[in-house]
Amino acid sequence: MKNNILKSPSYYKILIVDDVARNIQILGNILSSKGYQIAYAQSGSQALKIANNQDFDLILLDIMMPEMDGYEVCEKLKSDSKTSEVPIIFLTAK
């Protein structure tokens, strides 16, 4: 029988990527109150740098951002062997 020990939320690290600071604040407050470790980026290029230097269990990624939209960020993350397996959930106001 496999050992199915559930890990506490504090084990998991989530990267929130959004150009709107208020959105990051709301999501960050909700997730951190549940015990998750939170990091954030306010641009696609910043997200790529952070994701390259830290390991994440999930990325919450805004689609509509200036300079580099969420689709482009996702494409770059999925093409990098270090981040290709990290699940991504898109966020959008559309």
Side-chain angles (χ1 to χ4, degrees):
M1 184 176 193
K2 272 186 153 179
N3 188 358
N4 290 328
I5 298 173
L6 293 176
K7 296 176 181 166
S8 75
S10 64
Y11 175 85
Y12 297 103
K13 194 168 184 180
I14 300 171
L15 175 61
I16 301 169
V17 185
D18 199 314
D19 60 315
V20 178
R22 182 72 177 138
N23 293 345
I24 292 172
Q25 182 182 29
I26 291 168
L27 280 170
N29 286 343
I30 292 168
L31 294 169
S32 62
S33 74
K34 301 293 183 190
Y36 294 99
Q37 296 178 55
I38 303 300
Y40 68 89
Q42 290 190 279
S43 70
S45 58
Q46 185 182 31
L48 294 172
K49 287 177 190 170
I50 292 170
N52 194 41
N53 292 318
Q54 299 179 46
D55 293 326
F56 292 97
D57 298 291
L58 175 67
I59 297 173
L60 299 176
L61 180 57
D62 183 25
I63 293 175
M64 299 185 311
M65 294 186 294
E67 297 176 32
M68 186 184 313
D69 69 18
Y71 297 119
E72 187 177 351
V73 175
C74 181
E75 194 174 287
K76 290 178 184 291
L77 289 167
K78 293 301 178 181
S79 68
D80 184 333
S81 62
K82 182 173 181 349
T83 56
S84 65
E85 298 296 318
V86 179
I88 295 172
I89 297 175
F90 281 117
L91 304 174
T92 185
K94 280 189 170 185

